[in-house]
Amino acid sequence: MLLQQTKVLTVSPDLSNPRDIDSLKFAAEIIKRGGLVAFPTETVYGLGANALDENAVKSIFTAKGRPQDNPLIVHVSTPDDISLYANTQNNKAFDILKDEMPAPLTVILPKKENISDTVSANLDSVGMRVPVSKVARKLISLAGVPIAAPSANLSGKPSPTCARHVIDDMTGRVDVIIDAGNSLVGVESTVLSLCTDIPEILRPGGFTLEMLQRLLGKVNVSDAVLEKLKEGQTAASPGMKYRHYAPNVPLTLVKGTRENVKKYLYDALRNKDCAVMCCDGLIENTDNVKGIILSLGDSERLEGYASLLFDTLRRLDEMPQIKEAFAALPEDTQGISLAIYNRMLRASGFNVADADVACAITEVLS
Ligand code: TXA
Ligand code: MG
């Protein structure tokens, strides 16, 4: 840290306030001098440092408590800048995706020599991203350097989707926190490897599989997206092997038909120590409900579920009376639901209950 204490600067997401640019100039100066700045993006808040300054990059790992073998994404302000740090030559998929940027998308490409082993965690590839957020892009262009940034949470905690989450985790660990309100997408970017013949999703996010298939044709999805890594198996994306997003209390995911999931959760809610995360309207009858219902928004709009997810997981940890939690899973893994499934599976430690089976057993026994 360069400053004595963490400074919080509020800016408008569209940079419409004349003072916003002064605030970003201050933050950009901190980056140039090797400091740490937490900044908003459309996905989640990032914890940024000059990607070309080895000591600054090392301090990101210390501030987060992040394992050294987990590489960082390098953020640039325009798609053209990607080829300054990554080899994009003769990469047809990259040429197509470049026109879609800025986007909630990180592309993994062979790295150039100016990307250190600390940034890439000794891999020969680098993750590159152009955020949609105007604030993020302005900060990068004012700093005049690429910004390496993981999500701005303490390692293992859910990624931050508003400045309060960052303040909770990072006060005293970073120089500046830029507050521009809630992140719109709410889950991290889609990580797509372009190092293989067929592009492969290593982490699903706001840029969905279906969108990628429309643009690129065949796209693979890494096994690690929906499955637990087996003993000794290496993750294509090192981040996938770590415990992530887990609340302090045990979390069970509930899948099945809407009717059976509803019965299962209604039953759980008779217990006052229990919290249930689900979309509005699932639990209509609140007679006998003693537990807490945490809304994940409208079931017709799962983008809302994604954007509320991390905040809801953090809120669980602020409720000492809660001893166990349940969450209703979306009915399928289409669109943004693939990212929701991926994050929820990790948050629960792959603990999934099948409401259809549970209800069938109850019927037999009654
Ligand atoms: O939306 C986002 O991507 C946010 C914002 C701040 O941009 N950043 C973010 O960074 O989520 P982080 O570090 O929390 O997650 C990056 C993920 C990790 O799972 C990491 O292992 C993977 O991307 N990754 C980064 N570089 C990689 C590489 N060269 N090869 C494979 N995976 C990589
Ligand atoms: Mg992260």
mmCIF file of all heavy atoms in Angstrom, residues 39 41-47 64 66 69-73 75 104 106 108-109 119-120 123-129 131 149-153 159 187-191 193 202-203 236-240 244, ligand 1:
data_model
loop_
_atom_site.group_PDB
_atom_site.id
_atom_site.type_symbol
_atom_site.label_atom_id
_atom_site.label_comp_id
_atom_site.label_asym_id
_atom_site.label_seq_id
_atom_site.Cartn_x
_atom_site.Cartn_y
_atom_site.Cartn_z
ATOM 1 N N PHE A 39 -11.626 -1.494 -8.345
ATOM 2 C CA PHE A 39 -12.446 -0.722 -9.289
ATOM 3 C C PHE A 39 -13.642 -1.546 -9.769
ATOM 4 O O PHE A 39 -13.600 -2.777 -9.799
ATOM 5 C CB PHE A 39 -11.580 -0.263 -10.486
ATOM 6 C CG PHE A 39 -11.018 -1.399 -11.301
ATOM 7 C CD1 PHE A 39 -11.640 -1.814 -12.480
ATOM 8 C CD2 PHE A 39 -9.863 -2.059 -10.901
ATOM 9 C CE1 PHE A 39 -11.126 -2.870 -13.230
ATOM 10 C CE2 PHE A 39 -9.348 -3.116 -11.651
ATOM 11 C CZ PHE A 39 -9.980 -3.516 -12.811
ATOM 12 N N THR A 41 -16.352 -3.216 -12.340
ATOM 13 C CA THR A 41 -16.549 -3.625 -13.738
ATOM 14 C C THR A 41 -18.008 -4.079 -13.825
ATOM 15 O O THR A 41 -18.693 -4.178 -12.803
ATOM 16 C CB THR A 41 -15.617 -4.774 -14.213
ATOM 17 O OG1 THR A 41 -16.190 -6.017 -13.831
ATOM 18 C CG2 THR A 41 -14.195 -4.643 -13.684
ATOM 19 N N GLU A 42 -18.466 -4.373 -15.036
ATOM 20 C CA GLU A 42 -19.864 -4.808 -15.201
ATOM 21 C C GLU A 42 -20.094 -6.192 -14.612
ATOM 22 O O GLU A 42 -21.233 -6.560 -14.337
ATOM 23 C CB GLU A 42 -20.254 -4.776 -16.688
ATOM 24 C CG GLU A 42 -19.686 -5.901 -17.559
ATOM 25 C CD GLU A 42 -18.198 -5.704 -17.893
ATOM 26 O OE1 GLU A 42 -17.555 -4.788 -17.360
ATOM 27 O OE2 GLU A 42 -17.684 -6.511 -18.700
ATOM 28 N N THR A 43 -19.017 -6.973 -14.396
ATOM 29 C CA THR A 43 -19.194 -8.330 -13.853
ATOM 30 C C THR A 43 -19.115 -8.295 -12.333
ATOM 31 O O THR A 43 -20.123 -8.466 -11.641
ATOM 32 C CB THR A 43 -18.116 -9.274 -14.426
ATOM 33 O OG1 THR A 43 -16.824 -8.730 -14.126
ATOM 34 C CG2 THR A 43 -18.278 -9.469 -15.911
ATOM 35 N N VAL A 44 -17.916 -8.050 -11.809
ATOM 36 C CA VAL A 44 -17.685 -7.918 -10.360
ATOM 37 C C VAL A 44 -16.595 -6.857 -10.181
ATOM 38 O O VAL A 44 -15.975 -6.446 -11.162
ATOM 39 C CB VAL A 44 -17.220 -9.264 -9.743
ATOM 40 C CG1 VAL A 44 -18.259 -10.365 -9.960
ATOM 41 C CG2 VAL A 44 -15.862 -9.714 -10.300
ATOM 42 N N TYR A 45 -16.352 -6.436 -8.948
ATOM 43 C CA TYR A 45 -15.268 -5.474 -8.704
ATOM 44 C C TYR A 45 -13.911 -6.176 -8.820
ATOM 45 O O TYR A 45 -13.769 -7.340 -8.437
ATOM 46 C CB TYR A 45 -15.406 -4.844 -7.316
ATOM 47 C CG TYR A 45 -16.360 -3.651 -7.281
ATOM 48 C CD1 TYR A 45 -17.736 -3.822 -7.477
ATOM 49 C CD2 TYR A 45 -15.879 -2.361 -7.064
ATOM 50 C CE1 TYR A 45 -18.593 -2.737 -7.464
ATOM 51 C CE2 TYR A 45 -16.742 -1.262 -7.045
ATOM 52 C CZ TYR A 45 -18.099 -1.452 -7.244
ATOM 53 O OH TYR A 45 -18.944 -0.371 -7.238
ATOM 54 N N GLY A 46 -12.923 -5.454 -9.367
ATOM 55 C CA GLY A 46 -11.582 -6.012 -9.531
ATOM 56 C C GLY A 46 -10.588 -5.348 -8.594
ATOM 57 O O GLY A 46 -10.815 -4.237 -8.106
ATOM 58 N N LEU A 47 -9.476 -6.052 -8.336
ATOM 59 C CA LEU A 47 -8.415 -5.525 -7.466
ATOM 60 C C LEU A 47 -7.194 -5.311 -8.355
ATOM 61 O O LEU A 47 -6.488 -6.257 -8.703
ATOM 62 C CB LEU A 47 -8.135 -6.554 -6.370
ATOM 63 C CG LEU A 47 -6.940 -6.358 -5.452
ATOM 64 C CD1 LEU A 47 -6.944 -4.968 -4.851
ATOM 65 C CD2 LEU A 47 -6.990 -7.391 -4.344
ATOM 66 N N LYS A 64 -5.038 -10.252 -1.306
ATOM 67 C CA LYS A 64 -6.168 -11.190 -1.390
ATOM 68 C C LYS A 64 -5.957 -12.474 -0.609
ATOM 69 O O LYS A 64 -6.902 -13.207 -0.355
ATOM 70 C CB LYS A 64 -6.338 -11.624 -2.860
ATOM 71 C CG LYS A 64 -7.342 -10.857 -3.646
ATOM 72 C CD LYS A 64 -7.518 -11.484 -5.026
ATOM 73 C CE LYS A 64 -8.346 -12.742 -5.025
ATOM 74 N NZ LYS A 64 -9.737 -12.576 -5.365
ATOM 75 N N ARG A 66 -4.160 -14.794 -2.059
ATOM 76 C CA ARG A 66 -4.408 -15.667 -3.216
ATOM 77 C C ARG A 66 -3.241 -16.613 -3.462
ATOM 78 O O ARG A 66 -2.080 -16.200 -3.420
ATOM 79 C CB ARG A 66 -4.608 -14.783 -4.452
ATOM 80 C CG ARG A 66 -4.946 -15.535 -5.757
ATOM 81 C CD ARG A 66 -5.069 -14.509 -6.858
ATOM 82 N NE ARG A 66 -5.344 -15.029 -8.175
ATOM 83 C CZ ARG A 66 -6.544 -15.073 -8.738
ATOM 84 N NH1 ARG A 66 -7.602 -14.678 -8.072
ATOM 85 N NH2 ARG A 66 -6.704 -15.503 -9.971
ATOM 86 N N ASP A 69 -0.312 -19.882 -7.640
ATOM 87 C CA ASP A 69 -0.460 -20.613 -8.905
ATOM 88 C C ASP A 69 -1.776 -20.300 -9.614
ATOM 89 O O ASP A 69 -2.191 -21.010 -10.520
ATOM 90 C CB ASP A 69 -0.327 -22.124 -8.667
ATOM 91 C CG ASP A 69 -1.471 -22.674 -7.828
ATOM 92 O OD1 ASP A 69 -2.244 -21.874 -7.263
ATOM 93 O OD2 ASP A 69 -1.589 -23.911 -7.744
ATOM 94 N N ASN A 70 -2.447 -19.221 -9.187
ATOM 95 C CA ASN A 70 -3.703 -18.845 -9.844
ATOM 96 C C ASN A 70 -3.471 -17.562 -10.657
ATOM 97 O O ASN A 70 -3.289 -16.493 -10.087
ATOM 98 C CB ASN A 70 -4.795 -18.643 -8.780
ATOM 99 C CG ASN A 70 -6.190 -18.687 -9.387
ATOM 100 O OD1 ASN A 70 -6.340 -18.841 -10.597
ATOM 101 N ND2 ASN A 70 -7.191 -18.526 -8.542
ATOM 102 N N PRO A 71 -3.454 -17.661 -11.999
ATOM 103 C CA PRO A 71 -3.073 -16.510 -12.826
ATOM 104 C C PRO A 71 -4.086 -15.371 -12.800
ATOM 105 O O PRO A 71 -5.262 -15.575 -12.481
ATOM 106 C CB PRO A 71 -3.008 -17.112 -14.231
ATOM 107 C CG PRO A 71 -3.864 -18.330 -14.187
ATOM 108 C CD PRO A 71 -3.814 -18.849 -12.796
ATOM 109 N N LEU A 72 -3.599 -14.177 -13.162
ATOM 110 C CA LEU A 72 -4.447 -12.977 -13.145
ATOM 111 C C LEU A 72 -4.887 -12.615 -14.560
ATOM 112 O O LEU A 72 -4.157 -12.852 -15.524
ATOM 113 C CB LEU A 72 -3.657 -11.798 -12.560
ATOM 114 C CG LEU A 72 -3.078 -12.000 -11.165
ATOM 115 C CD1 LEU A 72 -2.256 -10.768 -10.766
ATOM 116 C CD2 LEU A 72 -4.187 -12.239 -10.148
ATOM 117 N N ILE A 73 -6.046 -11.989 -14.655
ATOM 118 C CA ILE A 73 -6.531 -11.477 -15.947
ATOM 119 C C ILE A 73 -5.928 -10.087 -16.156
ATOM 120 O O ILE A 73 -5.869 -9.280 -15.219
ATOM 121 C CB ILE A 73 -8.077 -11.399 -15.938
ATOM 122 C CG1 ILE A 73 -8.687 -12.807 -15.835
ATOM 123 C CG2 ILE A 73 -8.596 -10.675 -17.170
ATOM 124 C CD1 ILE A 73 -10.200 -12.827 -15.618
ATOM 125 N N HIS A 75 -6.377 -6.524 -17.885
ATOM 126 C CA HIS A 75 -7.444 -5.691 -18.441
ATOM 127 C C HIS A 75 -6.859 -4.564 -19.279
ATOM 128 O O HIS A 75 -5.929 -3.882 -18.833
ATOM 129 C CB HIS A 75 -8.288 -5.093 -17.300
ATOM 130 C CG HIS A 75 -8.977 -6.132 -16.446
ATOM 131 N ND1 HIS A 75 -8.279 -6.971 -15.595
ATOM 132 C CD2 HIS A 75 -10.283 -6.457 -16.314
ATOM 133 C CE1 HIS A 75 -9.144 -7.779 -14.987
ATOM 134 N NE2 HIS A 75 -10.368 -7.486 -15.403
ATOM 135 N N PRO A 104 -18.339 -9.024 -21.235
ATOM 136 C CA PRO A 104 -17.991 -9.770 -20.003
ATOM 137 C C PRO A 104 -17.302 -11.092 -20.358
ATOM 138 O O PRO A 104 -17.808 -12.168 -20.070
ATOM 139 C CB PRO A 104 -19.345 -9.979 -19.318
ATOM 140 C CG PRO A 104 -20.344 -9.914 -20.416
ATOM 141 C CD PRO A 104 -19.795 -9.014 -21.488
ATOM 142 N N THR A 106 -13.324 -13.049 -21.041
ATOM 143 C CA THR A 106 -11.855 -13.075 -20.955
ATOM 144 C C THR A 106 -11.363 -14.117 -21.936
ATOM 145 O O THR A 106 -11.842 -15.255 -21.914
ATOM 146 C CB THR A 106 -11.410 -13.459 -19.526
ATOM 147 O OG1 THR A 106 -11.869 -12.441 -18.639
ATOM 148 C CG2 THR A 106 -9.898 -13.592 -19.414
ATOM 149 N N ILE A 108 -8.257 -16.427 -23.348
ATOM 150 C CA ILE A 108 -6.936 -16.952 -22.992
ATOM 151 C C ILE A 108 -6.161 -17.182 -24.296
ATOM 152 O O ILE A 108 -6.635 -17.898 -25.186
ATOM 153 C CB ILE A 108 -7.056 -18.291 -22.213
ATOM 154 C CG1 ILE A 108 -8.013 -18.175 -21.016
ATOM 155 C CG2 ILE A 108 -5.682 -18.805 -21.795
ATOM 156 C CD1 ILE A 108 -7.544 -17.351 -19.883
ATOM 157 N N LEU A 109 -4.999 -16.548 -24.367
ATOM 158 C CA LEU A 109 -4.179 -16.593 -25.586
ATOM 159 C C LEU A 109 -2.715 -16.830 -25.186
ATOM 160 O O LEU A 109 -2.343 -16.557 -24.035
ATOM 161 C CB LEU A 109 -4.273 -15.245 -26.305
ATOM 162 C CG LEU A 109 -5.628 -14.911 -26.956
ATOM 163 C CD1 LEU A 109 -5.799 -13.414 -27.118
ATOM 164 C CD2 LEU A 109 -5.743 -15.615 -28.315
ATOM 165 N N VAL A 119 2.211 -12.830 -13.260
ATOM 166 C CA VAL A 119 0.850 -12.583 -13.772
ATOM 167 C C VAL A 119 0.246 -13.898 -14.273
ATOM 168 O O VAL A 119 -0.906 -14.224 -13.980
ATOM 169 C CB VAL A 119 0.875 -11.534 -14.914
ATOM 170 C CG1 VAL A 119 -0.473 -11.459 -15.612
ATOM 171 C CG2 VAL A 119 1.266 -10.162 -14.382
ATOM 172 N N SER A 120 1.019 -14.657 -15.047
ATOM 173 C CA SER A 120 0.457 -15.851 -15.699
ATOM 174 C C SER A 120 0.601 -17.105 -14.838
ATOM 175 O O SER A 120 0.217 -18.188 -15.274
ATOM 176 C CB SER A 120 1.141 -16.088 -17.046
ATOM 177 O OG SER A 120 2.473 -16.505 -16.834
ATOM 178 N N LEU A 123 2.181 -20.072 -16.466
ATOM 179 C CA LEU A 123 1.596 -20.657 -17.686
ATOM 180 C C LEU A 123 2.175 -19.897 -18.880
ATOM 181 O O LEU A 123 2.654 -18.767 -18.723
ATOM 182 C CB LEU A 123 0.067 -20.509 -17.677
ATOM 183 C CG LEU A 123 -0.700 -21.228 -16.557
ATOM 184 C CD1 LEU A 123 -2.186 -20.889 -16.628
ATOM 185 C CD2 LEU A 123 -0.510 -22.742 -16.688
ATOM 186 N N ASP A 124 2.085 -20.497 -20.090
ATOM 187 C CA ASP A 124 2.565 -19.722 -21.239
ATOM 188 C C ASP A 124 1.433 -18.976 -21.935
ATOM 189 O O ASP A 124 1.561 -18.491 -23.051
ATOM 190 C CB ASP A 124 3.390 -20.589 -22.207
ATOM 191 C CG ASP A 124 2.720 -21.899 -22.482
ATOM 192 O OD1 ASP A 124 1.488 -21.939 -22.299
ATOM 193 O OD2 ASP A 124 3.405 -22.875 -22.863
ATOM 194 N N SER A 125 0.285 -18.880 -21.235
ATOM 195 C CA SER A 125 -0.852 -18.137 -21.774
ATOM 196 C C SER A 125 -1.213 -16.987 -20.835
ATOM 197 O O SER A 125 -0.729 -16.926 -19.701
ATOM 198 C CB SER A 125 -2.050 -19.077 -21.901
ATOM 199 O OG SER A 125 -2.382 -19.582 -20.625
ATOM 200 N N VAL A 126 -2.054 -16.086 -21.342
ATOM 201 C CA VAL A 126 -2.530 -14.977 -20.502
ATOM 202 C C VAL A 126 -4.019 -14.725 -20.792
ATOM 203 O O VAL A 126 -4.462 -14.871 -21.933
ATOM 204 C CB VAL A 126 -1.686 -13.694 -20.739
ATOM 205 C CG1 VAL A 126 -1.778 -13.189 -22.176
ATOM 206 C CG2 VAL A 126 -2.097 -12.573 -19.785
ATOM 207 N N GLY A 127 -4.757 -14.374 -19.748
ATOM 208 C CA GLY A 127 -6.170 -14.024 -19.889
ATOM 209 C C GLY A 127 -6.284 -12.527 -20.151
ATOM 210 O O GLY A 127 -5.725 -11.735 -19.402
ATOM 211 N N MET A 128 -6.977 -12.142 -21.243
ATOM 212 C CA MET A 128 -7.091 -10.723 -21.600
ATOM 213 C C MET A 128 -8.565 -10.319 -21.630
ATOM 214 O O MET A 128 -9.406 -11.064 -22.140
ATOM 215 C CB MET A 128 -6.496 -10.470 -22.995
ATOM 216 C CG MET A 128 -5.028 -10.805 -23.164
ATOM 217 S SD MET A 128 -3.876 -9.759 -22.237
ATOM 218 C CE MET A 128 -4.390 -8.106 -22.617
ATOM 219 N N ARG A 129 -8.853 -9.121 -21.102
ATOM 220 C CA ARG A 129 -10.263 -8.712 -21.060
ATOM 221 C C ARG A 129 -10.396 -7.207 -21.252
ATOM 222 O O ARG A 129 -9.615 -6.424 -20.706
ATOM 223 C CB ARG A 129 -10.841 -9.167 -19.717
ATOM 224 C CG ARG A 129 -12.106 -8.487 -19.256
ATOM 225 C CD ARG A 129 -12.827 -9.380 -18.259
ATOM 226 N NE ARG A 129 -13.534 -8.651 -17.215
ATOM 227 C CZ ARG A 129 -14.689 -8.028 -17.381
ATOM 228 N NH1 ARG A 129 -15.274 -8.010 -18.560
ATOM 229 N NH2 ARG A 129 -15.261 -7.392 -16.362
ATOM 230 N N PRO A 131 -13.192 -4.641 -20.317
ATOM 231 C CA PRO A 131 -14.473 -4.552 -19.616
ATOM 232 C C PRO A 131 -15.457 -3.591 -20.293
ATOM 233 O O PRO A 131 -15.034 -2.634 -20.958
ATOM 234 C CB PRO A 131 -14.100 -4.022 -18.228
ATOM 235 C CG PRO A 131 -12.668 -3.661 -18.268
ATOM 236 C CD PRO A 131 -12.074 -4.082 -19.562
ATOM 237 N N ALA A 149 -5.937 -7.750 -12.727
ATOM 238 C CA ALA A 149 -6.931 -7.690 -11.643
ATOM 239 C C ALA A 149 -7.693 -8.990 -11.482
ATOM 240 O O ALA A 149 -8.362 -9.432 -12.412
ATOM 241 C CB ALA A 149 -7.914 -6.555 -11.894
ATOM 242 N N PRO A 150 -7.605 -9.575 -10.297
ATOM 243 C CA PRO A 150 -8.548 -10.636 -9.941
ATOM 244 C C PRO A 150 -9.785 -9.964 -9.342
ATOM 245 O O PRO A 150 -9.816 -8.736 -9.207
ATOM 246 C CB PRO A 150 -7.793 -11.411 -8.865
ATOM 247 C CG PRO A 150 -6.966 -10.363 -8.179
ATOM 248 C CD PRO A 150 -6.651 -9.302 -9.207
ATOM 249 N N SER A 151 -10.779 -10.756 -8.968
ATOM 250 C CA SER A 151 -11.925 -10.188 -8.251
ATOM 251 C C SER A 151 -11.422 -9.643 -6.903
ATOM 252 O O SER A 151 -10.493 -10.195 -6.318
ATOM 253 C CB SER A 151 -12.984 -11.261 -8.049
ATOM 254 O OG SER A 151 -12.398 -12.446 -7.548
ATOM 255 N N ALA A 152 -12.078 -8.560 -6.427
ATOM 256 C CA ALA A 152 -11.544 -7.830 -5.261
ATOM 257 C C ALA A 152 -12.049 -8.372 -3.919
ATOM 258 O O ALA A 152 -12.313 -7.609 -2.991
ATOM 259 C CB ALA A 152 -11.872 -6.342 -5.400
ATOM 260 N N ASN A 153 -12.188 -9.690 -3.816
ATOM 261 C CA ASN A 153 -12.589 -10.328 -2.557
ATOM 262 C C ASN A 153 -11.374 -10.985 -1.911
ATOM 263 O O ASN A 153 -10.385 -11.261 -2.592
ATOM 264 C CB ASN A 153 -13.634 -11.411 -2.842
ATOM 265 C CG ASN A 153 -13.159 -12.365 -3.938
ATOM 266 O OD1 ASN A 153 -13.133 -12.005 -5.113
ATOM 267 N ND2 ASN A 153 -12.745 -13.574 -3.547
ATOM 268 N N SER A 159 -17.190 -13.212 -4.927
ATOM 269 C CA SER A 159 -16.683 -11.997 -5.574
ATOM 270 C C SER A 159 -17.577 -10.809 -5.205
ATOM 271 O O SER A 159 -18.777 -10.965 -5.023
ATOM 272 C CB SER A 159 -16.681 -12.178 -7.088
ATOM 273 O OG SER A 159 -15.816 -13.224 -7.438
ATOM 274 N N VAL A 187 -21.893 -11.975 -11.929
ATOM 275 C CA VAL A 187 -20.955 -13.115 -11.903
ATOM 276 C C VAL A 187 -19.776 -12.731 -12.795
ATOM 277 O O VAL A 187 -19.903 -11.900 -13.689
ATOM 278 C CB VAL A 187 -21.580 -14.456 -12.379
ATOM 279 C CG1 VAL A 187 -22.552 -14.998 -11.358
ATOM 280 C CG2 VAL A 187 -22.251 -14.301 -13.738
ATOM 281 N N GLU A 188 -18.622 -13.367 -12.546
ATOM 282 C CA GLU A 188 -17.410 -12.979 -13.253
ATOM 283 C C GLU A 188 -17.511 -13.315 -14.750
ATOM 284 O O GLU A 188 -18.361 -14.100 -15.159
ATOM 285 C CB GLU A 188 -16.184 -13.686 -12.654
ATOM 286 C CG GLU A 188 -16.015 -13.557 -11.157
ATOM 287 C CD GLU A 188 -16.755 -14.628 -10.397
ATOM 288 O OE1 GLU A 188 -17.711 -15.233 -10.926
ATOM 289 O OE2 GLU A 188 -16.366 -14.880 -9.239
ATOM 290 N N SER A 189 -16.548 -12.753 -15.502
ATOM 291 C CA SER A 189 -16.555 -12.925 -16.961
ATOM 292 C C SER A 189 -16.439 -14.397 -17.364
ATOM 293 O O SER A 189 -15.916 -15.225 -16.618
ATOM 294 C CB SER A 189 -15.382 -12.149 -17.563
ATOM 295 O OG SER A 189 -14.163 -12.693 -17.095
ATOM 296 N N THR A 190 -16.923 -14.685 -18.561
ATOM 297 C CA THR A 190 -16.709 -15.988 -19.178
ATOM 298 C C THR A 190 -15.226 -16.100 -19.518
ATOM 299 O O THR A 190 -14.679 -15.192 -20.143
ATOM 300 C CB THR A 190 -17.533 -16.086 -20.479
ATOM 301 O OG1 THR A 190 -18.899 -15.869 -20.154
ATOM 302 C CG2 THR A 190 -17.351 -17.421 -21.175
ATOM 303 N N VAL A 191 -14.582 -17.190 -19.065
ATOM 304 C CA VAL A 191 -13.171 -17.395 -19.433
ATOM 305 C C VAL A 191 -13.148 -18.427 -20.564
ATOM 306 O O VAL A 191 -13.606 -19.557 -20.399
ATOM 307 C CB VAL A 191 -12.327 -17.874 -18.231
ATOM 308 C CG1 VAL A 191 -10.896 -18.187 -18.668
ATOM 309 C CG2 VAL A 191 -12.320 -16.817 -17.130
ATOM 310 N N SER A 193 -10.815 -20.280 -23.505
ATOM 311 C CA SER A 193 -9.466 -20.542 -24.026
ATOM 312 C C SER A 193 -9.503 -20.535 -25.549
ATOM 313 O O SER A 193 -10.296 -21.249 -26.172
ATOM 314 C CB SER A 193 -8.943 -21.885 -23.522
ATOM 315 O OG SER A 193 -7.709 -22.138 -24.191
ATOM 316 N N LEU A 202 -13.666 -22.250 -19.935
ATOM 317 C CA LEU A 202 -13.061 -22.729 -18.684
ATOM 318 C C LEU A 202 -13.895 -22.276 -17.492
ATOM 319 O O LEU A 202 -13.912 -22.922 -16.456
ATOM 320 C CB LEU A 202 -11.636 -22.199 -18.549
ATOM 321 C CG LEU A 202 -10.686 -22.477 -19.724
ATOM 322 C CD1 LEU A 202 -9.296 -21.950 -19.419
ATOM 323 C CD2 LEU A 202 -10.636 -23.971 -20.028
ATOM 324 N N ARG A 203 -14.558 -21.117 -17.651
ATOM 325 C CA ARG A 203 -15.465 -20.621 -16.603
ATOM 326 C C ARG A 203 -16.622 -19.922 -17.310
ATOM 327 O O ARG A 203 -16.399 -18.991 -18.063
ATOM 328 C CB ARG A 203 -14.723 -19.624 -15.693
ATOM 329 C CG ARG A 203 -15.607 -19.033 -14.603
ATOM 330 C CD ARG A 203 -14.853 -18.034 -13.725
ATOM 331 N NE ARG A 203 -14.595 -16.784 -14.403
ATOM 332 C CZ ARG A 203 -13.921 -15.755 -13.871
ATOM 333 N NH1 ARG A 203 -13.434 -15.858 -12.649
ATOM 334 N NH2 ARG A 203 -13.731 -14.651 -14.547
ATOM 335 N N ALA A 236 -7.734 -26.892 -16.227
ATOM 336 C CA ALA A 236 -7.243 -26.033 -17.310
ATOM 337 C C ALA A 236 -7.193 -24.592 -16.798
ATOM 338 O O ALA A 236 -6.325 -23.816 -17.153
ATOM 339 C CB ALA A 236 -8.163 -26.141 -18.509
ATOM 340 N N SER A 237 -8.150 -24.248 -15.953
ATOM 341 C CA SER A 237 -8.144 -22.930 -15.328
ATOM 342 C C SER A 237 -7.878 -23.149 -13.841
ATOM 343 O O SER A 237 -8.714 -23.699 -13.137
ATOM 344 C CB SER A 237 -9.503 -22.277 -15.533
ATOM 345 O OG SER A 237 -9.495 -21.017 -14.943
ATOM 346 N N PRO A 238 -6.680 -22.739 -13.357
ATOM 347 C CA PRO A 238 -6.319 -23.068 -11.979
ATOM 348 C C PRO A 238 -7.373 -22.634 -10.952
ATOM 349 O O PRO A 238 -7.561 -23.301 -9.938
ATOM 350 C CB PRO A 238 -5.007 -22.315 -11.783
ATOM 351 C CG PRO A 238 -4.432 -22.205 -13.161
ATOM 352 C CD PRO A 238 -5.609 -22.040 -14.073
ATOM 353 N N GLY A 239 -8.087 -21.541 -11.230
ATOM 354 C CA GLY A 239 -9.093 -21.043 -10.289
ATOM 355 C C GLY A 239 -10.169 -22.072 -9.972
ATOM 356 O O GLY A 239 -10.798 -22.033 -8.917
ATOM 357 N N MET A 240 -10.391 -23.017 -10.891
ATOM 358 C CA MET A 240 -11.465 -23.992 -10.726
ATOM 359 C C MET A 240 -11.193 -25.012 -9.627
ATOM 360 O O MET A 240 -12.071 -25.756 -9.226
ATOM 361 C CB MET A 240 -11.695 -24.745 -12.039
ATOM 362 C CG MET A 240 -12.454 -23.944 -13.051
ATOM 363 S SD MET A 240 -14.111 -23.612 -12.434
ATOM 364 C CE MET A 240 -14.758 -22.713 -13.817
ATOM 365 N N HIS A 244 -14.467 -22.002 -3.229
ATOM 366 C CA HIS A 244 -14.821 -20.653 -3.620
ATOM 367 C C HIS A 244 -16.253 -20.365 -3.205
ATOM 368 O O HIS A 244 -17.082 -21.267 -3.230
ATOM 369 C CB HIS A 244 -14.722 -20.565 -5.154
ATOM 370 C CG HIS A 244 -14.107 -19.297 -5.641
ATOM 371 N ND1 HIS A 244 -14.362 -18.083 -5.081
ATOM 372 C CD2 HIS A 244 -13.266 -19.044 -6.665
ATOM 373 C CE1 HIS A 244 -13.694 -17.154 -5.742
ATOM 374 N NE2 HIS A 244 -13.013 -17.707 -6.709
HETATM 375 O O1 TXA B 1 -15.109 -10.722 -14.407
HETATM 376 C C1 TXA B 1 -13.949 -11.029 -14.158
HETATM 377 O O2 TXA B 1 -13.301 -11.827 -14.849
HETATM 378 C C2 TXA B 1 -13.267 -10.352 -12.963
HETATM 379 C C3 TXA B 1 -13.150 -8.844 -13.265
HETATM 380 C C4 TXA B 1 -12.415 -8.094 -12.206
HETATM 381 O O3 TXA B 1 -12.592 -8.674 -14.532
HETATM 382 N N1 TXA B 1 -12.000 -10.947 -12.664
HETATM 383 C C5 TXA B 1 -11.900 -12.189 -12.139
HETATM 384 O O4 TXA B 1 -10.597 -12.560 -11.890
HETATM 385 O O5 TXA B 1 -12.849 -12.899 -11.886
HETATM 386 P P1 TXA B 1 -10.229 -13.845 -10.986
HETATM 387 O O6 TXA B 1 -8.754 -13.792 -10.864
HETATM 388 O O7 TXA B 1 -11.013 -13.793 -9.730
HETATM 389 O O8 TXA B 1 -10.602 -15.056 -11.866
HETATM 390 C C6 TXA B 1 -9.857 -15.339 -13.047
HETATM 391 C C7 TXA B 1 -10.021 -16.763 -13.451
HETATM 392 C C8 TXA B 1 -9.363 -17.723 -12.491
HETATM 393 O O9 TXA B 1 -10.175 -18.878 -12.377
HETATM 394 C C9 TXA B 1 -8.046 -18.056 -13.203
HETATM 395 O O10 TXA B 1 -7.560 -19.334 -12.869
HETATM 396 C C10 TXA B 1 -8.455 -17.972 -14.674
HETATM 397 O O11 TXA B 1 -9.397 -16.923 -14.737
HETATM 398 N N2 TXA B 1 -7.315 -17.637 -15.549
HETATM 399 C C11 TXA B 1 -6.626 -16.481 -15.606
HETATM 400 N N3 TXA B 1 -5.616 -16.571 -16.488
HETATM 401 C C12 TXA B 1 -5.661 -17.823 -17.004
HETATM 402 C C13 TXA B 1 -4.884 -18.553 -17.950
HETATM 403 N N4 TXA B 1 -3.823 -18.011 -18.550
HETATM 404 N N5 TXA B 1 -5.231 -19.822 -18.238
HETATM 405 C C14 TXA B 1 -6.306 -20.393 -17.637
HETATM 406 N N6 TXA B 1 -7.084 -19.764 -16.726
HETATM 407 C C15 TXA B 1 -6.768 -18.501 -16.405
#
